[in-house]
Amino acid sequence: MLDSYAVIGNPIAHSKSPLIHTAFAQQTHQPVHYVAILAALDDFKSTVESFRHQGGKGLNVTVPFKLEAFQLSTRLTERATIAQAVNTLKFDGNEILGDNTDGAGLVRDIELNLGIPIATKRILLLGAGGAARGVILPLLQQKPSLLAIANRTPHKAETLQQQFSAYGNIIAGDFIHFSGDQFDIIINATSASLHDALPELPIGIFAQTILAYDMMYSREPTRFLKFAQLHGTRQIADGVGMLVEQAAESFFVWRNVRPQTKPVIAMLKSPM
Ligand code: NDP
């Protein structure tokens, strides 16, 4: 008998999660069966309930349901409570545990896979949507000297600054607000790359940057990563490592077993 897990979203056909979790299950010899489920936009809750009543053990939740998953959870981890978004559900009797592993995935990718400690670094986080919100606390827990949040609509960045100011040194503004400033790590958590667009960044922002990181992943470097490279950043990375690391963290939440991520990242990066 295999334990049943899935990723739920809309759209979902593009999801690499079934590939990743199947690789984890094979590698760790865990009895896991993992599929992708498309939920209608107005039918998230009943799709989850029907999966659960059929014996499903857990779900990964992706766009656009992370807030609904947060609301559906009967118990929340601290990181999910603070992110106000859930990407991992674990079903245990009557309990629905909601967790958020996105931030842990990003931190592990930057620190372990890319070898760049976050402590004492000056970080610029671009974007103030769901992905940005989910990574702020895990980034601050690594004790950067500064976390600047820049967003096209500045009041959303300022709201995040107020919400997280108790956890570290945060400033916020629009992109131009940071003209003339320098950062060690610049993370693109906007959805601009999905539309092959580039946030309107100040000239010179990458001059001292060690790492430019785009949460979006694609076969070719995104416009953001190409721009960063052209303007002086030393290293670029896309979000494939974060994707695999957040999946590994979910797998650990469900199975209490930590899979090896490097071979799975290599598999996703290799030409299919
Ligand atoms: P949201 O829709 O919640 O937020 C979108 C953000 O992008 C907002 O801050 C918005 O600014 C900004 N934005 C959109 N277009 C532009 C533009 N042209 N220029 C500047 N800013 C722009 O999206 P998410 O936060 O859920 O996702 C963001 C990205 O993160 C996506 O690319 C997603 O694929 C990726 N992601 C990757 C993960 C991984 O594991 N690798 C995990 C989760 C997300 P405004 O407020 O002004 O509208």
Side-chain angles (χ1 to χ4, degrees):
M1 274 296 280
L2 298 178
D3 291 337
S4 190
Y5 297 87
V7 59
I8 183 167
N10 185 331
I12 202 62
H14 66 288
S15 175
K16 300 214 179 300
S17 293
L19 201 63
I20 294 169
H21 282 278
T22 302
F24 287 164
Q26 283 168 357
Q27 180 204 106
T28 58
H29 306 292
Q30 287 287 304
V32 162
H33 178 65
Y34 191 106
V35 296
I37 296 176
L38 176 72
L41 291 175
D42 59 355
D43 205 25
F44 173 73
K45 191 174 172 187
S46 56
T47 310
V48 171
E49 287 304 339
S50 115
F51 178 76
R52 191 170 155 228
H53 288 126
Q54 285 163 29
K57 300 274 186 198
L59 287 167
N60 281 133
V61 181
T62 186
V63 176
F65 298 125
K66 289 184 186 182
L67 184 59
E68 280 183 74
F70 173 77
Q71 288 158 347
L72 193 65
S73 304
T74 59
R75 188 162 74 87
L76 291 160
T77 60
E78 187 200 16
R79 57 192 182 183
T81 307
I82 290 166
Q84 291 178 20
V86 156
N87 79 335
T88 304
L89 293 169
K90 181 181 179 184
F91 307 127
D92 191 4
N94 287 333
E95 181 180 277
I96 303 177
L97 174 71
D99 198 355
N100 189 319
T101 65
D102 281 337
L106 175 69
V107 166
R108 287 180 74 90
D109 194 34
I110 292 176
E111 295 209 316
L112 301 182
N113 299 334
L114 302 172
I116 299 172
I118 290 169
T120 74
K121 298 292 191 304
R122 289 170 58 87
I123 299 180
L124 175 61
L125 180 65
L126 307 172
R133 171 181 287 281
V135 301
I136 293 172
L137 180 68
L139 284 171
L140 290 174
Q141 284 172 333
Q142 305 311 310
K143 308 269 182 247
S145 63
L146 174 73
L147 179 64
I149 306 173
N151 197 44
R152 182 176 59 182
T153 313
H155 77 84
K156 292 190 199 166
E158 285 152 11
T159 302
L160 290 177
Q161 176 199 12
Q162 284 157 14
Q163 193 186 335
F164 287 93
S165 60
Y167 300 96
N169 183 20
I170 313 187
I171 55 176
D174 59 13
F175 300 127
I176 294 307
H177 181 82
F178 297 104
S179 292
D181 290 350
Q182 297 297 326
F183 297 94
D184 302 304
I185 300 174
I186 301 182
I187 300 166
N188 186 12
T190 75
S191 53
S193 296
L194 285 174
H195 315 290
D196 197 26
L198 187 67
E200 289 178 20
L201 299 169
I203 299 294
I205 198 97
F206 291 103
Q208 304 289 324
T209 302
I210 305 167
L211 172 67
Y213 192 102
D214 199 333
M215 284 196 192
M216 164 132 158
Y217 46 90
S218 56
R219 285 258 153 240
E220 295 296 318
T222 61
R223 273 185 72 186
F224 169 79
L225 293 181
K226 285 183 191 159
F227 184 86
Q229 211 162 29
L230 193 66
H231 289 85
T233 193
R234 272 190 252 162
Q235 193 175 340
I236 59 169
D238 73 10
V240 74
M242 173 180 175
L243 177 76
V244 174
E245 293 295 344
Q246 63 77 28
E249 189 77 9
S250 296
F251 196 88
F252 180 73
V253 169
W254 293 326
R255 310 297 304 181
N256 208 24
V257 172
R258 195 171 280 286
Q260 292 199 5
T261 50
K262 286 208 167 118
V264 181
I265 294 171
M267 175 186 79
L268 290 184
K269 284 187 174 168
S270 69
M272 295 284 174

